Every structure is written in C-alpha cells, then in structure tokens.
Amino acid sequence: MERLVINGGQPLYGDIDINGAKNAAVAILPATIMASEGKCVIENIPDIEDVNCLERIISELGAEVKVGKNTIEIDSRNLTNTTACTEDVRKMRASYYLDGALLARFKQAKVDLPGGCPIGVRPIDQHIKGFEALGAKVNIEHGAVILKAERLIGANIFFDVVSVGATINVMMAATMAEGVTTLENVAKEPHVVDVANFLNTMGADIKGAGTDVIKVRGVKSLKGCNYSVIPDQIEAGTFMIAAAACGGEVTLTNVIPKHLESISAKLIEAGVTVDEGDDSITIKSTGKLKGVNIKTTPYPGFPTDVQQPMSAMLCVASGRSIITESIWESRFKHLDELKKMGASAKVEGRTAILEGVDKLTGAVVKATDLRAGAAMVIAGLIAEGETEIYNIEHIDRGYPHIEDKFKKLGADIHRIDD
Ligand code: EPZ
C-alpha cells in the first residue's frame, strides 16, 4: 500500500508553480463532449486521478482522447453513446457533469449516480430541478440518472441552495436549449466562471457567470476550441497555508491572487505576510501564528475545500480558533487524525473548536478524504518526528505530485510503496 512518510520541522523556501484547477478541469472535460464539430484542445490540465478517470469515461463514450503533458485533445464528433454506467463514473463526483453535457447535445442520457469524498450528504435535487425546468424527464433507476427530453426550452430557475455542481450542470444543459434561460442564486466560484468562458469559446452565449444571475441564450450546436484551465485556487491555498504553518518564504506562481483573497486575509490575521504580484503570491512566515476564526461560505467567502488544510495550521496557532463549516455537515473527520498527533480539537455539530498546542508529534494517520489528506500532509510537515499517511489515493485524486512539490520547497517527504 502506498503511503507518504514525512519528517517534519523543516521551513519551506522557494518557488512553486500551481497547476490547473481540478474543479474547473473536471467540468470542462465532460463539457468537451458537447462539441459536434472540431476538436477541443485543453491546456493546463492537472495530472490527477480524477482527470485520468474522466479521460477513461469520455473515451469509453466514443470520443477520441489524446493525452499530452498537461494537455488533452478530445474529438467528440463521432460520439453517439449516451450511457455512462461504469465503476469510474460511480467513484467520482464530477461524473455528474455528463448529465448536463449529454442532455444538451443528445437530449438524453443515462449516467450512474456519482461518488466523491465522504464529507456529508451530497444530494443532486437542484441539478434535477434545473433539468426538469428545461423540459427533461428525469428518473432515477437502478442507481442511474435517466434523462430524456423531446426539446429543451429556456426557463427561469431559482436555485434553493447555492450549488457549484447544479449551477454548472444546468448552465451546460441550457446552452443548447431553445430561447433564454435565467439561473438565479447561482454559485460564483472561479471554476464556474471558467466553465462558462470555455462554453462561450465553444460558441455558447452565456452572460453573468461570476454574479448571482447567469443568462444563457441557447445555440443550436457547439464546436471544438483551444482553452487553458485557470490556476487551482484550492491547491494554491493549500501551499499558502503549508508555507505559513512551516515558516519560511514561498512564492506561488501561476495563481490569480484575487481568487485567494479570503485565504490571504485569514493568513494575514494569523500573523503571516502575504505579498501579491500580478500572477504570483509570496508567503513569508515565522511559523509563530495566532488563532483565527473561520466560517466557510460560497465564493467569495472562505472555501470549504481549504477548511481542512487551514485547521491543520490552526492546531499549532496560539489561542483558540473556531471553525464553522457551513457547506458540508461532516467535514471534520480529519480532526480525529490530527488528535493522534497531539491536536486539541472538539467538534460540536458544524463547529470545531481548536485550542492551539505548542507542537504536533508525528504519528501513523490516514487521509479520510481529499482535503483531509492535504491537512495531514501539512500536519506532518510541522510535526516533530515522523508521520506516515495512509489512504493517499484520496490525495492523488486532487493534488498533482504533492510530494515532489513539497520536496522542491525543502520538505523531507517521500512516497513509499510496499
Ligand atoms: C463542488 O462540489 C466541489 N466539487 C467540492 O469540492 C466543493 O466542496 C463544493 O463544490 C463546494 O464548493 C467539484 O467541483 C467536483 P455543491 P458540489 O453542489 O458541486 C448542497 C473538493 O474537495 N446541495 O456546491 O458537489 C450540498 O449538500 C470537493 O475538491 C443540495 O442541497 O457541491 C452542499 O451543502 C469536495 N442540492 C451545498 O449544496 C444539490 O442538488 C454545496 O454543494 C446540490 C448541492
């Protein structure tokens, strides 16, 4: 079984290039199958397991997929299969974007229900509400979502909750509906905007992505294009926090500092120096930090996906930190692992109370989900002695070559496979 072994206590110094955004890439790849003319060439694709999984799924649907270094070429002109019911589809979350993409182009789809990180109940009622409003019949049978529409017709849809997945999925379906669709109470995350920009580059007519209201004027068809995925806000946030927690000076390149403002603000509050460049950000830290309170909210608030890495840092920040997780109801499982390393944490419902301790000590721990895995890596980097992290397949789903990147910054971290 593969594991990461970390000898903690090294400060981090140097430059690190941030990869393309996982949560944009995993929506853009399914969206490529909407192109009935030409090829899509997608650049700045992160080398992660969720992307590999989607490459297999899309090629099994009948697209021609050529994978290069951080680039994928997808030719979906001859794709006719609208059924995606495989283990790969069931094990990842973003496979649900095939629903919107297939429905838009073929007006039908059968796609197994998605999997993903065990961080709480993950309903898709808002996706279904949107598809139905556009005129699709939606049934769930034998673990698959079955979608069928004679025609898709533009509609006004007000989402009950702010959902990244539902916003992107319904926006994709609406791109080829007849007339205008208005989506209200939508998610504004950078990856939502990136997917809208990609769809527009393919010939869609989408306005307002990044605000509370998105308007989609339906078009008859979409064609292939070249596109480069935005930098990963969450990978960047994770490295910013690691540098802050370990101490040292780290410059992240290929980032959009605007997307990182909520994270920068909390790091500054904790006593870290954050210098923004045009497409870079530098973290300078003594490693001696103050506790801060965090509340996760949809963008532009503090991202839930950075809450777990941040809590690893706050374990050793002086005083009390209170974390309120308002997006997912069970995103604190990593705290039990951090307690094995000496953290003082108490969970009450959606709130975690951390009392800063002087140090963490290395232990054998596991990654209970993707971002929990990143939290354990940060904990291992600051802990005294050796930390072994198991179940790192979760980490590989979303962080490309995490150990190589931290090694480059001076960390003592190795992947061991026995
Ligand atoms: C996306 O998940 C991300 N995943 C998640 O990142 C991220 O935590 C989340 O957005 C929030 O930012 C991908 O992009 C693949 P949501 P998603 O729909 O789209 C409720 C990571 O670590 N909801 O925005 O599934 C839901 O229960 C992953 O990279 C409904 O009630 O999340 C949650 O409370 C983990 N009904 C809230 O909305 C619905 O139909 C936000 O969920 C849909 C969602």
Side-chain angles (χ1 to χ4, degrees), residues 22-23 96 123-126 163-165 305 327-328 331 371:
K22 161 187 170 276
N23 287 343
Y96 58 24
I124 56 163
D125 57 297
Q126 297 303 303
S163 158
V164 169
D305 295 345
I327 311 289
W328 302 113
R331 216 171 191 180
R371 309 299 171 189

Side-chain angles (χ1 to χ4, degrees), residues 325-388:
E325 172 54 67
S326 66
I327 311 289
W328 302 113
E329 67 268 28
S330 35
R331 216 171 191 180
F332 285 136
K333 290 189 193 126
H334 63 297
L335 294 180
D336 286 334
E337 299 301 304
L338 289 171
K339 281 196 226 168
K340 294 179 188 164
M341 302 174 73
S344 167
K346 197 164 84 180
V347 176
E348 284 173 7
R350 296 263 189 135
T351 302
I353 301 155
L354 305 178
E355 301 290 350
V357 294
D358 288 343
K359 62 174 185 194
L360 295 180
T361 50
V364 177
V365 292
K366 59 179 186 285
T368 52
D369 60 71
L370 166 59
R371 309 299 171 189
M376 299 324 297
V377 170
I378 293 173
L381 293 172
I382 50 183
E384 186 182 283
E386 187 177 276
T387 297
E388 283 183 65

Side-chain angles (χ1 to χ4, degrees), residues 126-127 129-130 157-161 166-167 170 183-186:
Q126 297 303 303
H127 304 231
K129 167 177 154 163
I157 301 162
F158 192 103
F159 290 109
D160 301 344
V161 293
T167 301
V170 180
L183 305 177
E184 290 187 66
N185 197 26
V186 293

Side-chain angles (χ1 to χ4, degrees), residues 258-308:
K258 175 100 193 118
H259 295 168
L260 302 167
E261 276 173 351
S262 62
I263 304 163
S264 299
K266 281 293 156 189
L267 290 179
I268 292 166
E269 201 181 317
V272 178
T273 303
V274 180
D275 291 333
E276 288 182 5
D278 288 342
D279 59 359
S280 68
I281 206 156
T282 299
I283 303 297
K284 293 178 199 154
S285 169
T286 57
K288 303 249 171 294
L289 307 170
K290 295 192 286 277
V292 292
N293 297 336
I294 305 285
K295 181 171 183 187
T296 65
T297 55
Y299 189 82
F302 193 89
T304 171
D305 295 345
V306 181
Q307 176 265 110
Q308 291 158 300

Side-chain angles (χ1 to χ4, degrees), residues 72-363:
I72 302 184
E73 190 179 301
I74 298 176
D75 183 345
S76 302
R77 279 174 285 195
N78 298 323
L79 186 151
T80 50
N81 184 5
T82 57
T83 300
C85 296
T86 63
E87 182 58 30
D88 277 336
V89 173
R90 290 187 290 275
K91 81 178 182 205
M92 70 177 311
R93 189 75 192 158
S95 59
Y96 58 24
Y97 291 131
L98 295 166
D99 298 0
L102 289 168
L103 181 64
R105 178 167 167 196
F106 299 102
K107 309 291 176 273
Q108 61 172 35
K110 180 177 177 191
V111 181
D112 272 345
L113 284 162
C117 285
I119 51 181
V121 183
R122 301 187 73 177
I124 56 163
D125 57 297
Q126 297 303 303
H127 304 231
I128 293 173
K129 167 177 154 163
F131 297 146
E132 286 178 338
L134 295 174
K137 284 214 162 34
V138 186
N139 287 305
I140 297 188
E141 287 172 17
H142 305 292
V145 181
I146 301 170
L147 300 143
K148 211 160 181 37
E150 291 295 318
R151 300 158 70 188
L152 291 176
I153 298 175
N156 288 354
I157 301 162
F158 192 103
F159 290 109
D160 301 344
V161 293
V162 177
S163 158
V164 169
T167 301
I168 293 177
N169 228 347
V170 180
M171 177 172 78
M172 291 204 291
T175 55
M176 283 195 237
E178 295 165 38
V180 177
T181 298
T182 305
L183 305 177
E184 290 187 66
N185 197 26
V186 293
K188 295 179 277 198
E189 269 66 5
H191 33 288
V192 173
V193 180
D194 205 37
V195 178
N197 288 341
F198 169 65
L199 293 169
N200 282 341
T201 312
M202 286 211 292
D205 183 352
I206 301 171
K207 293 196 172 75
T211 72
D212 291 313
V213 183
I214 294 178
K215 271 200 193 304
V216 186
R217 189 174 292 278
V219 295
K220 288 228 157 45
S221 64
L222 298 178
K223 52 184 184 312
C225 66
N226 287 20
Y227 195 78
S228 182
V229 175
I230 49 160
D232 197 316
Q233 174 205 25
I234 310 301
E235 190 198 20
T238 303
F239 276 87
M240 288 164 74
I241 291 164
C246 294
E249 182 169 337
V250 173
T251 297
L252 312 184
T253 50
N254 185 33
V255 295
I256 300 174
K258 175 100 193 118
H259 295 168
L260 302 167
E261 276 173 351
S262 62
I263 304 163
S264 299
K266 281 293 156 189
L267 290 179
I268 292 166
E269 201 181 317
V272 178
T273 303
V274 180
D275 291 333
E276 288 182 5
D278 288 342
D279 59 359
S280 68
I281 206 156
T282 299
I283 303 297
K284 293 178 199 154
S285 169
T286 57
K288 303 249 171 294
L289 307 170
K290 295 192 286 277
V292 292
N293 297 336
I294 305 285
K295 181 171 183 187
T296 65
T297 55
Y299 189 82
F302 193 89
T304 171
D305 295 345
V306 181
Q307 176 265 110
Q308 291 158 300
M310 190 71 167
S311 63
M313 180 193 103
L314 293 176
C315 285
V316 292
S318 67
R320 174 177 289 183
S321 299
I322 298 176
I323 302 177
T324 309
E325 172 54 67
S326 66
I327 311 289
W328 302 113
E329 67 268 28
S330 35
R331 216 171 191 180
F332 285 136
K333 290 189 193 126
H334 63 297
L335 294 180
D336 286 334
E337 299 301 304
L338 289 171
K339 281 196 226 168
K340 294 179 188 164
M341 302 174 73
S344 167
K346 197 164 84 180
V347 176
E348 284 173 7
R350 296 263 189 135
T351 302
I353 301 155
L354 305 178
E355 301 290 350
V357 294
D358 288 343
K359 62 174 185 194
L360 295 180
T361 50

